Amino acid sequence: MAHPKEILAKLNANARKSLSQNFLTSPHWAEILTNAVTEGETPKAIWEIGPGLGALTQLLVKKATVPVTLFEYDRKLSAFLREEYPETPLIEGDVLKAPLEALAKKANRIAVLSNLPYHLSSPIFFKLVDIKPFLTRVVLTFQKEFAQRLLAKVGQESYGGLSIVAQLHFKITSLGTLPSGAFYPAPSIASEAVILEPLNPTDLDVPKICKLIKAGFLHPRKKMVSNLKQAFPNVDWEQALASQSLSTNARAEELSEAQWILLSQAL
Ligand code: SAM
């Protein structure tokens, strides 16, 4: 594939910062990411979010044995992609406004691939949580700091509410660090690619546990117990914490996933 700089010049376009346009230039990483999304359980469809100039798309359409759909916001890039991949449906516009749930229901089993527009990491991640029942696997590249938050375990610096919620919903595996130089233009910090495999535990009320975690982490400066009392005033939190051998001085980030699960029994 030609260098993004050349393609952009032909399209009379520039990389748009407001759309987090950093285009992958590393054939090595394009192979790793497209292999990761096409292995495992065969989905009925593969979605690529933010295909850009097609660094992943060109390999994906060759490797995929099921239909691929593209979601791209940028009008010029969408026109380019339609010309390059006339057989591949493209939904133009903001992926966050696309009817993802209806589309997911229709396709039923979907794998998702994206070198994410970084400013939308969190909202896209939570959109994927919403359609988790229809997902087989998701391969995403995030800013390294965000990926570290998803992967962190209790006691690690990046650990927080997002880590626990993400790990309740998905088995998360790192594929490694992509240096800034793997993209044009080079972003200011490195990226990290992860595989998300949906977890569907039948013995846990995941939405209830997530509600508790959200409340516990709401005001980081306040004591966790005050946050919990404010959100759930009818629960005797002193008693609930004591029954898990937890102090009322405990901070939200000191509790492991297992402790949050146990504490949710108080609700
Ligand atoms: N996949 C390409 C690659 O790896 O070279 C491009 C990745 S670039 C980091 C992010 C892409 O997401 C850009 O093509 C950008 O135009 C697109 N994008 C940004 N905001 C979007 C949105 N709200 N909906 C869909 N695509 C979006």
Side-chain angles (χ1 to χ4, degrees), residues 2 25 30 66 70 78 93 107 110 155 157 170 172 192 215 227 259-260:
T25 53
V66 297
L70 309 174
S78 295
I110 304 150
E157 204 188 325
F170 298 103
I172 309 176
E192 183 163 356
N227 286 334
Q259 285 172 312
W260 282 106

Side-chain angles (χ1 to χ4, degrees), residues 5 7 57 65 88 92 121 128 152 157 172 178 201:
K5 208 171 169 177
I7 308 178
T57 321
T65 54
T88 308
E92 188 178 320
S121 295
L128 294 172
E157 204 188 325
I172 309 176
L178 289 78

Side-chain angles (χ1 to χ4, degrees), residues 19-24 48 50-52 55-56 71-74 77 93-95 115-117 119-120:
L19 294 180
S20 304
Q21 288 182 347
N22 302 97
F23 301 103
L24 187 70
E48 188 190 348
L56 299 176
F71 295 80
E72 175 56 57
Y73 185 93
D74 188 297
L77 303 193
D94 182 356
V95 67
N115 275 344
L116 280 176
H119 66 294
L120 299 179

Side-chain angles (χ1 to χ4, degrees), residues 77-90:
L77 303 193
S78 295
F80 166 77
L81 290 161
R82 282 199 187 100
E83 253 179 46
E84 292 282 310
Y85 308 99
E87 311 281 303
T88 308
L90 184 147

